[in-house]
Amino acid sequence: MPDRPYVLLSCGMSIDGYLDSPALHRLLLSNEADFDRVDAERAASDAILVGAATIRRDNPRLLVRSPERRAARVAQGLPPSPTKVTLTRRADLDPGSRFFACDDAVKLVYCPSTAVAEARARVGDAATVIDAGQPCNLHLVFEDLAARGVSRLMVEGGGTVHTQLLATDLADELQLVVAPFFVGSSEATRFVGDGDFPWNPDHRATLAEVRQIGDVVLLRYALSSRFSMS
């Protein structure tokens, strides 16, 4: 068994690189055709990871939407939707959020040692809380996921998680969708924050695919030797 899953980063951003806007409502950065593509990627994954801030801001369900894809997973002996995974530093979790809803998905919460007791008190039986070290060690998180049978991990944000995984060279693939508009506000969240990334002017990332999907464009980057076009 590999020591970590294949890690796919999936992200949508505006032309000027933002994940959202300062407005309270969720900013839709894609279209129905691309949402369906993302749903297919979810169905092909063993687990989906988001940061706790994404749960607080977007309140995502993280379930496979297509009945056909859900049925196909069940026919393969899998649950209808992948395992839901989140990372939190302060156990600032709302057990009433859709991430923790009583659905068909297993829920895992990884947090630093000092936040384990608080996280367990907050989420109760809605999720399994796992000690990820002090501070939270992403290598330990991925080793634990691999031990739980996760071979393909889809990461759907947000900016902090993407920054950490890219800066620590723990991503194998980036699927970046660019929406045809600008946000135009530095108060919004960027795709990534400051970091010492392996890809720079002297080490350019490999662009593996460019695909127009309606009015958005998908840029697919190979970030490691484990990259697969399948």
Side-chain angles (χ1 to χ4, degrees):
M1 180 179 295
D3 61 355
R4 70 168 178 83
Y6 183 91
V7 178
L8 160 66
L9 306 188
S10 176
C11 180
M13 70 176 191
S14 62
I15 291 175
D16 49 346
Y18 289 103
L19 300 178
D20 59 19
S21 72
L24 295 178
H25 61 82
R26 181 186 175 194
L27 179 65
L28 296 180
L29 289 156
S30 196
N31 54 42
E32 282 303 317
D34 187 59
F35 287 140
D36 187 65
R37 178 195 64 83
V38 170
D39 194 57
E41 292 288 358
R42 285 183 177 179
S45 300
D46 300 305
I48 304 170
L49 184 152
V50 295
T54 296
I55 295 175
R56 291 190 294 270
R57 183 183 66 246
D58 295 341
N59 195 23
R61 296 174 69 239
L62 301 180
L63 300 175
V64 174
R65 298 192 305 173
S66 163
E68 293 78 15
R69 292 183 184 121
R70 292 168 64 86
R73 284 179 57 90
V74 171
Q76 297 172 45
L78 301 171
S81 291
T83 296
K84 299 180 188 180
V85 183
T86 191
L87 305 171
T88 180
R89 288 178 293 181
R90 306 186 309 275
D92 186 8
L93 301 167
D94 177 6
S97 66
R98 294 194 291 183
F99 180 95
F100 297 107
C102 184
D103 50 40
D104 49 49
V106 173
K107 291 93 175 170
L108 303 176
V109 175
Y110 290 90
C111 61
S113 305
T114 52
V116 168
E118 175 65 18
R120 287 176 177 161
R122 281 181 175 268
V123 304
D125 296 332
T128 299
V129 176
I130 300 124
D131 187 337
Q134 188 66 35
C136 188
N137 186 319
L138 290 174
H139 292 276
L140 291 179
V141 170
F142 285 178
E143 287 174 7
D144 185 76
L145 286 171
R148 294 174 186 270
V150 175
S151 61
R152 185 177 180 87
L153 175 68
M154 184 177 182
V155 180
E156 295 196 29
T160 299
V161 171
H162 284 143
T163 300
Q164 290 174 330
L165 294 179
L166 290 167
T168 52
D169 200 10
L170 284 174
D172 300 296
E173 177 178 345
L174 169 62
Q175 294 185 4
L176 185 63
V177 167
V178 182
F181 57 80
F182 295 84
V183 169
S185 173
S186 60
E187 295 181 9
T189 304
R190 297 197 67 87
F191 159 46
V192 292
D194 295 344
D196 184 12
F197 301 106
W199 306 276
N200 52 57
D202 297 320
H203 182 209
R204 299 160 76 101
T206 301
L207 179 61
E209 181 185 3
V210 179
R211 189 192 320 168
Q212 182 176 349
I213 306 173
D215 64 350
V216 304
V217 62
L218 168 66
L219 305 174
R220 194 173 177 196
Y221 291 92
L223 301 182
S224 84
S225 60
R226 304 171 77 196
F227 173 79
S228 171
M229 282 296 293
S230 61

